[in-house]
Amino acid sequence: MADKRVTIYDVAKEAGVAPSTVSRAFSRPGRVSAATHAKVMEAAKALGYRTSAPPAQERGHRHHRLGIEVPDLTNPYFAELVSGMQEAAQEQDFLLLLLDTVEDEARERSSLESAVDVVDGIVLSGTRQSDATLNHLSKRIPVVVLNRRVAGLDSVTPDFEHGMGQAMTHLAENGLRTVTYVAGPVNSWSDGERWRAARVAARQHGLQIQRHGPFAPTTAGGEQAFEELRDSLPHAVICYNDLVAFGLLISALRAGISVPGELSVMGHDDIQLSRLVGGGLTTVVSPKRAQGRAAVERLVRRIENPSAHRTPVEGSLPVRLVPRGTTGPREVP
């Protein structure tokens, strides 16, 4: 009798192919070359791997597609995130089905409901759904969550504490004493975590900090934030993302505010435009491609062998501050 501890991961390693290729060799042999099929069968025989039914029958029909939810594909942050997912998916022989939910919770719910029957798993990169809703979804299909932690689900998040710690150290070293955190969407988990980390780091450096918002995570949101703050500007602002920072920065410059002489401006994400605006935007860099790759790799592992990964995995990726021209010593009293 075959050793039941042998899995398709073992076969994949022995054959030098992806686990998804092993799955197809058994369930849909017409989708792999004759040489690859022979290599997989030889590896399975050597390891004593047997299956009484094709994997597709064991787990239901396989689509070899992954659903990818993003709240706003026009935001360059998500475009780069998806690029990392695409790289990993291609290596694992999966296609991506993109679900752009345009920051609309109702549209997100209907998109996820429609996707469940046509994909093998879903990555949620900016979901606004409740924890209960996401746990219910995970009982129907494998799920990995990005930029958020949900009890019982796999997740990949940036290290917000480390990023905000570097940000506050940078501001304090430049002699800045008052900071405003310009908040993002109401239901954003990452916004709440950034604000929490900002408060802790500010206290450690003796900085006065307040929160202002919420605002849309767009340049228009940043413009609105500046209009509300312009009569009582702090020494520095840390914005929810780079788009908000761009909107606030451009509005400040148009109003004749010296940056960073009168106001230091900082964002999050380090999208490509951050190198081009205002002498370069100081920003907290998230490892976007690495996050995307990690999410897809984790999701495929759960799809291919769910019984071997019962315990949810929470991963935190490092971030770092990149100081540029929009932060520096204050030049006015």
Side-chain angles (χ1 to χ4, degrees):
M1 179 180 295
D3 187 347
K4 293 183 180 180
R5 291 174 294 179
V6 177
T7 70
I8 63 171
Y9 280 93
D10 301 315
V11 177
K13 183 177 180 180
E14 178 73 14
V17 298
S20 55
T21 302
V22 175
S23 175
R24 281 200 298 281
F26 279 98
S27 63
R28 305 171 76 182
R31 290 201 57 191
V32 299
S33 69
T36 298
H37 184 268
K39 190 190 317 184
V40 170
M41 293 302 112
E42 182 179 346
K45 182 178 179 180
L47 295 174
Y49 177 80
R50 296 288 187 275
T51 175
S52 59
Q57 295 177 15
E58 294 172 1
R59 294 189 292 271
H61 177 65
R62 289 283 298 279
H63 305 283
H64 295 281
R65 289 191 296 265
L66 305 178
I68 307 297
E69 174 272 334
V70 295
D72 181 9
L73 192 57
T74 64
N75 183 336
Y77 168 82
F78 292 106
E80 194 167 343
L81 194 72
V82 170
S83 181
M85 295 182 194
Q86 177 64 49
E87 291 174 358
Q90 185 173 3
E91 292 170 6
Q92 300 283 347
D93 296 320
F94 279 83
L95 297 175
L96 299 187
L97 175 64
L98 189 62
L99 311 172
D100 184 356
T101 59
V102 297
E103 294 284 355
D104 185 312
E105 289 186 44
R107 179 165 173 171
E108 182 187 345
R109 281 193 298 273
S110 83
S111 296
L112 294 176
E113 188 62 36
S114 299
V116 164
D117 294 327
V118 297
V119 299
D120 300 318
I122 296 176
V123 174
L124 302 165
S125 65
T127 181
R128 308 293 187 236
Q129 303 302 309
S130 68
D131 287 7
T133 297
L134 297 182
N135 272 290
H136 178 71
L137 177 67
S138 72
K139 290 177 172 57
R140 303 169 62 192
I141 193 168
V143 170
V144 171
V145 184
L146 274 171
N147 300 315
R148 177 173 169 180
R149 294 193 187 100
V150 179
L153 301 186
D154 292 338
S155 64
V156 181
T157 61
D159 186 344
F160 296 113
E161 292 83 359
H162 186 64
M164 278 298 186
Q166 291 186 55
M168 293 302 173
T169 297
H170 175 66
L171 297 179
E173 288 176 348
N174 278 284
L176 308 180
R177 309 310 303 165
T178 60
V179 183
T180 294
Y181 174 70
V182 178
V186 174
N187 295 329
S188 168
W189 182 88
S190 60
D191 178 75
E193 287 298 296
R194 285 171 180 166
W195 169 233
R196 182 189 62 78
R199 282 183 298 168
V200 170
R203 284 198 299 269
Q204 292 172 345
H205 289 281
L207 304 180
Q208 299 176 33
I209 190 168
Q210 64 177 1
R211 181 181 185 275
H212 193 65
F215 296 99
T218 61
T219 54
E223 291 170 353
Q224 180 186 352
F226 175 76
E227 290 303 319
E228 295 183 12
L229 291 170
R230 66 183 300 170
D231 292 333
S232 55
L233 289 174
H235 293 176
V237 292
I238 300 179
C239 299
Y240 168 76
N241 67 11
D242 286 349
L243 292 180
V244 173
F246 290 149
L248 190 147
L249 171 63
I250 292 170
S251 294
L253 294 174
R254 286 173 177 167
I257 304 296
S258 171
V259 176
E262 296 176 80
L263 175 68
S264 283
V265 180
M266 187 181 299
H268 275 83
D269 297 337
D270 192 35
I271 61 178
Q272 290 293 326
L273 288 174
S274 65
R275 297 163 177 78
L276 307 175
V277 177
L281 176 69
T282 295
T283 187
V284 179
V285 179
S286 296
K288 298 173 282 298
R289 286 180 181 271
Q291 282 182 268
R293 290 188 62 90
V296 165
E297 289 167 357
R298 192 164 295 171
L299 182 61
V300 171
R301 284 198 297 271
R302 187 166 288 279
I303 291 168
E304 298 288 1
N305 198 0
S307 62
H309 302 279
R310 296 186 184 279
T311 303
V313 178
E314 294 183 355
S316 184
L317 298 182
V319 302
R320 61 188 176 88
L321 178 73
V322 177
R324 296 193 180 106
T326 58
T327 54
R330 188 167 172 80
E331 298 174 358
V332 296

